[in-house]
Amino acid sequence: MSGTPTIEGAGGPLVHAEGLTKRFGATVALDGLTLGVAGGEILALLGPSGSGKSTLLLCLAGILRPDSGTVRYRGQALSDMADAVLTCLRREEFGFVFQFGQLVPDLTAVENVSLPLQLSGQKRGLAEERALALLTKLEVEDRAGKRVGEMSGGQAQRVAVARALIAEPKVIFADEPTGSLDSLNGEVVMGLLLAAARERGTTVVLVTHEPRIAAYADREVVVRDGRISQHAVVP
Amino acid sequence: MNLLRFLGLGGRVALSGGRGSLARVALMAAGIGLGVALLLGSLAFDHAIQAGAVREAARYPGAQLAPDEPQPMNSTLMWEWRTTFEGHDVWLIALHGRGRAPVPPGITGVPSTGQVFVSPGLATLLDSPSGSLLAPRLGGSVAGPIEPDGLVTPSEIFGYVGVRPGLKGLSLVDGQLYTGGSKQSFSMLTPGSLIVLGLAILAFLFPVALFVITATRLSTATREARLAAIRLAGATNVQVRGMIAIEAAMVAVLGAIIGCLLFLLGRTMSLKISAVAAGWFPSELWPQPVAAAAVLLIVPALVLLVALVGSRRMIVSPLGLVRRTRRRRRGAAWVCVGLAGALALGFAALGHAWVMRQRSPIPGVIIVGAGLLFLAGLVGEAGWVSWLVARVVGSRTRSVSAQLGARRMEADPGSANRVVAGIAVLVTLVGLGQAVALADARDRSGMTYVAPWVRDLPATIVIAEVFDYPVVDPASLLNLIAVPGVLSVRLTRQEPSGGVTLKPSSAIVATDGEPATLERIRNAVGWRGDAQPVSFWRSRASAGATERTVAHVAQAISLVILLVTAASLLVSTVDGMMERRRPLAVLSAIGARRSTLRRSILVQVAIPLAVALGLGASGAIFLTVTVFHVIGERGLLPLRPLAELTVAVGVVVLAVTGLAMPWAGWTRRADLLHAE
């Protein structure tokens, strides 16, 4: 144990990382970090560029394997899971929103949003019906038949939020979801994402370097040099 | 900035974009190199063909003796004898010299009566176990070899025979004076063969050009961003275009060097193939220096020109690159063009009797025009059809993989369109060409038309036709029954060329099927030391070898074309994945299985090739049926070659998909998701 402070939500950790270490060559991205995220909690990971917050998010989501340490989801170690099981977990339990380049450019908005459902085996027609309903809720239904190149950055990000929400995931991992947007669009996207999450009791792990965006969270954790340097419950 | 520094900067910019830029330059240079090598190879063969034609012309007689004119002093009289032995054409020239007689090339003096000079090919045939059946036709004994300067090809089966005029069939009237050969060389290739050769070279060059075009599209986004960054750093538009030109020039020069190396390698390797070594003298298998220099100058100049013309349509601003091109889909219009051609051909087929009766060339011109219209329509509509299929599949399919693959093709159909158009036309032409060649091989024996009754005879039948009544009495053909291996002989009035004579002129000879029996029959009646008064017609089994050769050549051409096209598809597929690696990585992050991505690539590769094959096969069958119907011939549908092409395309689809897999795996890398 590295002695890094650990804060867990009131409902017990849904996702729990312990002693995570990750190196990229000589660069230490995570240095024995321990963190827990409770069910329904909205957690903001703050920190300067290169502090390791995105690496932490990818490790928590089971996309990146840490060099050492364990990530547990509902008590099960992700490192023990086979790639196919992890893929299934990400498809059915997790949702993702990234900063840019996350929509498949060849697909229309409605096709992008319905992808997680189709990947889970749902029929295309039904999946697209649900996708359209979600796009309507996020006020981008008029872009349903358009591709990424025919949408503004804000509209594309709302479509990405819809895709993250459609499979009703237990956890949403969002990496700088407003990083490529102006403040107004950033506010709108965050409002929509968090409203939907709170409505469904979804856990959100949010990476940002903007305190304004972090203020939407229940709890803020500051990552610096691969360690948690500060944590605070947002009032 | 002085010119040298600018050139250096341009070169560095072209190569400094990491692996993507290097791959782009390398693949473009490789494609250009392949094209240069093909052109140099074609020129080398052309040179060798011409050199052979000059040597052949050196054998030709120069004058005919007047009737009753005696052979002048200091002259050489020649008679041409040709025979066939076990499927080989044997060319003999009988010579009689008087005084200081002119000597044909390859020998030191005119052979005296009974002396035979033979080429290495003829010597080998004479030394073979069945050579004893050929020896009697030479009319003498072997006195020495013919040197290479007297041979058209190293393996030519050729001989000079010393004779005495007055022998049966060696009248002075039939002899011709040899005066040192003809100065005018005759190409060994007929105009038809030249057209086929030209089409074959074009057929090879087309996919190579396709490959180069595909390579130019590599890492487009990265390259455009780099050019914009250079503008942002202060370069003028002219300077940026200059850098584009430097990159093109660099690629062109590199391509020319690679082309020379590939040509040398190909030449060395091809000379190890027995058919090439037998057909060509290695010393002549080089392009003429002027022609080679022209290729090495014109190809790079063309590449540079294309790059400069292309760059005129680009506006490079500090914010990015914009192309002044309009996105047009005129597929429907091209369908109308193709349909117009098809309708004209259809009408011509329906009224074929009227068409064939016309003396005017206009109906023929209209039919050829209709065929070209049909092909033009095929080229124009192919890409559109492929795009349409992708659109329909993308919007209707229930499979995520098919949706991803089809939508990808629909969004960026550029490379696929070129592949589809190229393959569709090539399959059509290869199919039609094979049908024509197969029908030709079926209907013809040597250079003469064979009537249907001959081709329907069993394989063991030989037809002996008397065409010189004073020399041979057709009834004497009945004596062939005494030849070992002959089972029965029956005289007929039917001519192998289709006519009917008043008296029997041909004999239908049933044999045991052994090749030696045919040679014995030839020796018995067809060769008496004189000109051949009896001609022999092969029954259908003999044409099998020709059919097989045609099929093998067509298969080899199709295979090479398919391989180069597959390389283009692989490059564009992999580049597409590299350009979209982040969305693909996100797709993996949200739970897309590895197999989903794999199948999407399969669909992406399979749709254009399947559409191309479908269109090409339909085109080939339609053209075969209509063209043969117009000329009133019984056509052969090229179903087998098309089936083989289908299998080959299937293998290409799987191979391209399999080779693209490592990159599909690479796009699952988590570090592609980093935003920082």
Side-chain angles (χ1 to χ4, degrees), chain B residues 42 56 84 92 96 112 123 151 222 248 265 280 311 313 395 400 412 416 454 503 522 547 559 616 629 641 673:
Chain B
S42 309
E56 185 179 350
T84 306
L92 299 171
H96 181 259
S112 49
L151 298 174
T222 318
L265 186 72
W280 316 96
S311 74
R313 288 202 294 266
S395 60
V400 183
D412 185 14
V454 178
K503 292 179 182 175
R522 278 208 176 96
E547 288 172 11
L559 194 68
H629 207 80
L673 296 168

Side-chain angles (χ1 to χ4, degrees), chain B residues 135-503:
Chain B
R137 297 184 208 172
L138 265 55
S141 54
V142 175
I146 299 172
E147 297 302 319
D149 62 317
L151 298 174
V152 180
T153 67
S155 62
E156 188 186 15
I157 301 169
F158 177 66
Y160 288 114
V161 183
V163 293
R164 182 165 49 82
L167 278 177
K168 201 172 183 183
L170 289 179
S171 69
L172 287 178
V173 177
D174 295 331
Q176 290 181 294
L177 282 173
Y178 178 73
T179 53
S182 169
K183 296 290 171 238
Q184 188 189 354
S185 65
F186 301 95
S187 173
M188 290 191 292
L189 298 174
T190 60
S193 309
L194 279 172
I195 291 171
V196 171
L197 194 68
L199 283 176
I201 292 169
L202 274 181
F204 276 119
L205 284 177
F206 182 83
V208 171
L210 197 76
F211 182 80
V212 175
I213 292 169
T214 306
T216 59
R217 300 283 189 276
L218 280 178
S219 307
T220 312
T222 318
R223 180 170 174 261
E224 289 175 358
R226 206 164 66 237
L227 291 175
I230 291 166
R231 278 282 277 139
L232 192 62
T236 64
N237 219 349
V238 174
Q239 282 176 319
V240 170
R241 286 209 178 110
M243 286 175 189
I244 293 170
I246 290 169
E247 184 198 47
M250 206 167 70
V251 166
V253 171
L254 197 60
I257 294 169
I258 291 174
C260 290
L261 293 174
L262 280 178
F263 165 70
L264 290 174
L265 186 72
R267 186 183 173 279
T268 311
M269 285 172 67
S270 63
L271 281 171
K272 291 198 167 110
I273 301 169
S274 57
V276 176
W280 316 96
F281 288 105
S283 59
E284 287 167 354
L285 217 49
W286 290 105
Q288 299 268 35
V290 176
V295 165
L296 293 175
L297 281 174
I298 289 171
V299 171
L302 265 178
V303 172
L304 192 60
L305 189 72
V306 168
L308 285 174
V309 170
S311 74
R312 284 171 65 88
R313 288 202 294 266
M314 298 192 306
I315 303 169
V316 186
S317 79
L319 294 175
L321 191 144
V322 181
R323 283 196 173 78
R324 281 182 293 203
T325 50
R326 278 181 294 162
R327 203 171 180 183
R328 291 170 295 187
R329 295 203 192 286
R330 287 184 179 165
W334 283 110
V335 171
C336 295
V337 171
L339 273 179
L343 277 175
L345 282 173
F347 282 127
L350 287 175
H352 70 96
W354 178 85
V355 170
M356 295 305 283
R357 271 202 311 272
Q358 300 307 304
R359 296 276 176 209
S360 157
I362 293 173
V365 170
I366 291 175
I367 289 167
V368 171
L372 290 176
L373 212 60
F374 179 77
L375 283 177
L378 198 69
V379 171
E381 77 201 24
W384 177 74
V385 172
S386 163
W387 172 81
L388 200 65
V389 168
R391 190 182 167 86
V392 170
V393 171
S395 60
R396 300 269 169 85
T397 181
R398 289 180 178 182
S399 147
V400 183
S401 315
Q403 188 184 3
L404 286 169
R407 286 296 200 209
R408 168 71 192 142
M409 247 208 75
E410 183 196 344
D412 185 14
S415 301
N417 280 358
R418 285 186 291 276
V419 167
V420 173
I423 292 282
V425 171
L426 289 170
V427 170
T428 304
L429 291 179
V430 165
L432 178 66
Q434 287 233 40
V436 171
L438 288 174
D440 194 49
R442 179 200 63 192
D443 291 346
R444 283 170 189 277
S445 172
M447 296 297 287
T448 320
Y449 175 79
V450 178
W453 74 270
V454 178
R455 66 172 177 246
D456 292 337
L457 288 171
T460 52
I461 295 288
V462 173
I463 297 108
E465 184 192 21
V466 172
F467 63 88
D468 199 351
Y469 278 77
V471 178
V472 177
D473 175 12
S476 69
L477 294 175
L478 289 170
N479 297 333
L480 289 175
I481 193 67
V483 173
V486 171
L487 306 176
S488 70
V489 182
R490 179 166 62 87
L491 292 178
T492 176
R493 292 194 297 117
Q494 274 191 300
E495 286 184 323
S497 55
V500 179
T501 52
L502 291 172
K503 292 179 182 175

